[in-house]
């Protein structure tokens, strides 16, 4: 067994690769709906239908991409790094088209949006699944894996925070066309350079001890493994809530609080608690286990916003809820991908196959479904309430619908996610230790026989 320790330079490269993955979906979730309504002149309902149809098509595509990636030959560079680089290049070309195509077109705006959005759904999984498959093959040492999981989660938190601060400042307001141009070009450069440099700087150490020759039919067997489907169901519900908030928050700051730049302040305030929580979660995992800490993180992050219902326009309550929610985000984000890696090991132990791409693609499948549903709900509800993209202020029905999307609907689905994961996820701290021991013995026996 290769026990190479992962050096700091490689950890930084891993962080960079993950940081470069963030802008695509973060910008789409937070700004594409209001960009299409306020800049391109599309109706909220038309955008909602686009998001729903395109994301479900994307979701169906993800397991196919994962299957293909798992069955590609391993190159000198590794198995997943080459496809990560190819996916990054393709996404960096298509991402600006998603925004600028409908904006500059004089006709057929919705058709261009459909084509570019669906195309991104085909290309982004190549990049995303390859990246999310790296963690299990970089090391099988559990301490190193937990460290990488924390780095991955921290990179995602930092990436989301950086974009959360920068985007409103670059835009100025949600009707500033030049602001969107600047934002998209800057983020495309971040996607390309961070992802490529990061991919070149990491190593793949864990080699499968059996051929990755599972059939496409076995994807459904993988999904039936209890840790896999419980995790995905919980993540689906929680992500639906998060995507509803992401799509509606821009409208909330613009039309309820009247200041988009307040979003930057909120993001900075979150840093006060999210980073300390991220730093201490590793030690808490050792004491309580990943399952308990992940459930606690989901509960804190998902339910902290409820206190804002006391006064939805109170900036003080907003800041308090953000500080509390930052603790939960700091706990949950680093654990998300560590649990996925544990599920990959569970599949190997129970089914006898290594299927990093399959597990990552099924995770991506769930995320795409959540993005489609979560992104569509605010569009349909805003259309129903009578949203007017040309109006500087909105009627009370629209304001109430925005508040429902930001505070009430997410809380409902978050409670369901927390209950499902807490009650259903079977890999406790003790079972994870036993799973790791059995896999090490199995791999050692295979190495000796070879």
């Amino acid at each position: 067994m290769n026990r190479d320790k992962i050096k700091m330079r490689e950890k930084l490269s891993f962080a960079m690769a993950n940081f470069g993955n963030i802008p695509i979906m973060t910008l789409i979730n937070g700004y594409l709906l209001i960009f299409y309504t306020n800049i391109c002149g599309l109706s909220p309902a038309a955008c909602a239908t686009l998001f729903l149809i395109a994301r479900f098509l994307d979701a169906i595509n993800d397991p196919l991409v994962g299957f293909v990636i798992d069955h590609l030959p391993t190159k000198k560079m590794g198995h997943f790094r080459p496809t990560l680089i190819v996916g990054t290049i393709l996404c960096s070309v298509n991402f600006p088209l998603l925004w600028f195509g409908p904006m500059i077109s004089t006709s057929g705006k919705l058709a261009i949006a459909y084509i570019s959005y669906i195309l991104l759904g085909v290309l982004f999984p190549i990049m995303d699944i390859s990246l999310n498959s790296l963690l299990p093959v970089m090391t099988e040492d559990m301490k190193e894996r937990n460290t990488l999981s924390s780095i991955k989660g921290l990179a995602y938190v930092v990436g989301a925070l950086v974009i959360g601060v920068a985007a409103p400042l670059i835009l100025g307001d949600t009707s500033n066309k030049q602001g969107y141009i600047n934002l998209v070009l800057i983020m495309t450069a971040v996607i390309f350079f961070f992802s490529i440099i990061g991919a070149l700087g990491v190593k793949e150490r864990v080699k499968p001890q059996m051929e990755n020759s599972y059939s496409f039919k076995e994807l459904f067997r993988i999904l039936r493994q209890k840790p896999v489907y419980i995790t995905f169901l919980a993540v689906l519900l929680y992500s639906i809530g998060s995507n509803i908030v992401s799509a509606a928050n821009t409208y909330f700051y613009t039309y309820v609080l009247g200041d988009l730049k307040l979003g930057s302040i909120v993001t900075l305030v979150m840093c006060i608690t999210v980073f300390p929580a991220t730093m201490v979660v590793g030690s808490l995992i050792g004491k309580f286990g990943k399952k308990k800490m992940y459930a606690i993180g989901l509960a804190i992050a998902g339910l902290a916003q409820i206190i804002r219902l006391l006064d939805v326009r109170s900036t003080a309550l907003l800041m308090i809820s953000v500080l509390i929610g930052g603790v939960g985000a700091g706990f949950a984000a680093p654990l998300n991908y560590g649990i996925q890696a544990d599920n990959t090991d569970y599949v190997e132990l129970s089914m006898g196959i290594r299927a990093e791409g399959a597990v990552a693609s099924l995770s991506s499948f769930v995320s795409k479904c959540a993005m489609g549903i979560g992104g569509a709900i605010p569009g349909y509800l805003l259309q129903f309430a009578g949203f007017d993209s040309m109006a500087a202020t909105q009627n009370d029905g629209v304001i109430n619908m925005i508040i429902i999307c930001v505070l009430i609907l997410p809380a409902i689905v978050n409670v369901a996610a927390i209950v499902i994961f807490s009650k259903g996820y079977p890999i406790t701290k003790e079972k994870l230790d036993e799973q790791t021991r059995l896999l090490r013995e199995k791999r050692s026996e295979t190495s000796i026989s070879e």
Side-chain angles (χ1 to χ4, degrees), residues 336-363:
N336 198 22
Y337 298 97
I339 288 174
Q340 181 175 300
D342 295 340
N343 291 347
T344 300
D345 285 349
Y346 182 94
V347 169
E348 178 180 353
L349 196 60
S350 62
M351 296 179 60
I353 58 175
R354 288 293 294 181
E356 291 88 354
V359 174
S361 67
L362 291 171
S363 178

Side-chain angles (χ1 to χ4, degrees), residues 253 257 262 266 305 308 314-322:
Y253 290 126
L257 297 182
L262 187 59
V266 166
Q305 303 299 318
R308 292 169 58 188
S314 169
T315 54
L317 286 177
L318 172 61
M319 298 305 172
I320 292 171
S321 68
V322 168

Side-chain angles (χ1 to χ4, degrees), residues 110-270:
L110 186 60
I112 295 174
Y114 264 93
I115 293 170
S116 57
Y117 202 75
I118 291 173
L119 183 58
L120 184 70
V122 174
L123 300 178
F124 181 67
I126 301 173
M127 174 185 178
D128 190 50
I129 292 170
S130 300
L131 175 64
N132 290 334
S133 299
L134 277 178
L135 197 153
V137 300
M138 288 179 66
T139 179
E140 57 186 7
D141 182 275
M142 194 54 62
K143 289 184 178 180
E144 293 276 38
R145 182 175 288 184
N146 287 340
T147 299
L148 289 175
S149 179
S150 296
I151 290 172
K152 187 176 182 71
L154 183 60
Y156 272 60
V157 170
V158 171
L161 291 176
V162 169
I163 295 172
V165 173
L169 297 177
I170 295 172
L171 283 179
D173 65 73
T174 53
S175 298
N176 180 10
K177 182 183 293 187
Q178 186 60 47
Y180 282 107
I181 293 173
N182 296 339
L183 179 62
V184 171
L185 291 178
I186 291 170
M187 292 304 165
T188 300
V190 170
I191 293 164
F192 182 83
F193 288 106
F194 275 72
S195 297
I196 297 294
I197 294 173
L200 294 174
V202 300
K203 296 179 181 179
E204 298 181 28
R205 295 172 176 79
V206 179
K207 306 300 179 184
Q209 300 300 324
M210 68 292 289
E211 292 295 326
N212 270 339
S213 57
Y214 66 90
S215 66
F216 185 73
K217 185 178 180 180
E218 285 182 295
L219 280 173
F220 298 96
R221 284 186 59 207
I222 293 171
L223 184 58
R224 290 198 299 269
Q225 302 299 308
K226 190 172 183 179
V228 176
Y229 74 74
I230 288 294
T231 301
F232 290 165
L233 184 56
V235 171
L236 173 65
L237 291 170
Y238 183 78
S239 298
I240 287 174
S242 298
N243 281 284
I244 292 173
V245 174
S246 295
N249 244 346
T250 313
Y251 291 89
F252 184 86
Y253 290 126
T254 300
Y255 298 108
V256 179
L257 297 182
D259 185 3
L260 179 64
K261 294 180 181 179
L262 187 59
S264 297
I265 299 173
V266 166
T267 305
L268 288 172
V269 170
M270 181 180 287

Side-chain angles (χ1 to χ4, degrees), residues 9 18 25 38 109 123 125 151 201 229 270 278-279 322 346 364 377 399 403 408 436 438 444:
R9 182 177 178 180
N18 284 279
M25 291 308 166
N38 289 18
K109 292 177 181 290
L123 300 178
I151 290 172
Y229 74 74
M270 181 180 287
T278 302
M279 298 302 176
V322 168
Y346 182 94
S364 183
I377 287 174
I399 297 300
I403 293 170
I408 297 176
T436 303
L438 291 174
S444 296

Side-chain angles (χ1 to χ4, degrees), residues 52-65:
L52 201 58
I53 293 174
R55 280 304 165 200
F56 275 110
L57 290 176
D58 297 347
I60 294 171
N61 172 67
D62 285 357
L64 296 174
V65 174

Side-chain angles (χ1 to χ4, degrees), residues 266-416:
V266 166
T267 305
L268 288 172
V269 170
M270 181 180 287
C271 296
I272 297 174
T273 53
V274 71
F275 288 120
T278 302
M279 298 302 176
V280 303
V281 71
S283 60
L284 294 175
I285 291 171
K287 184 175 182 181
F288 299 105
K290 292 180 185 177
K291 177 182 177 178
K292 288 183 179 179
M293 290 310 304
Y294 190 61
I296 290 171
L298 292 183
I300 297 174
L303 302 179
Q305 303 299 318
I306 293 178
I307 63 173
R308 292 169 58 188
L309 290 173
L310 296 172
D311 183 356
V312 296
R313 289 180 171 82
S314 169
T315 54
L317 286 177
L318 172 61
M319 298 305 172
I320 292 171
S321 68
V322 168
L323 287 171
I324 297 173
V327 175
F331 286 166
L335 292 172
N336 198 22
Y337 298 97
I339 288 174
Q340 181 175 300
D342 295 340
N343 291 347
T344 300
D345 285 349
Y346 182 94
V347 169
E348 178 180 353
L349 196 60
S350 62
M351 296 179 60
I353 58 175
R354 288 293 294 181
E356 291 88 354
V359 174
S361 67
L362 291 171
S363 178
S364 183
F365 172 89
V366 170
S367 297
K368 296 293 180 59
C369 290
M371 288 180 64
I373 298 170
I377 287 174
Y380 286 128
L381 293 180
L382 288 173
Q383 182 80 24
F384 176 78
F387 174 79
D388 183 1
S389 63
M390 303 302 293
T393 59
Q394 302 293 328
N395 63 54
D396 289 343
V398 172
I399 297 300
N400 290 334
M401 199 62 76
I402 293 172
I403 293 170
I404 288 172
C405 288
V406 171
L407 299 178
I408 297 176
L409 290 180
I412 294 172
V413 294
N414 286 337
V415 168

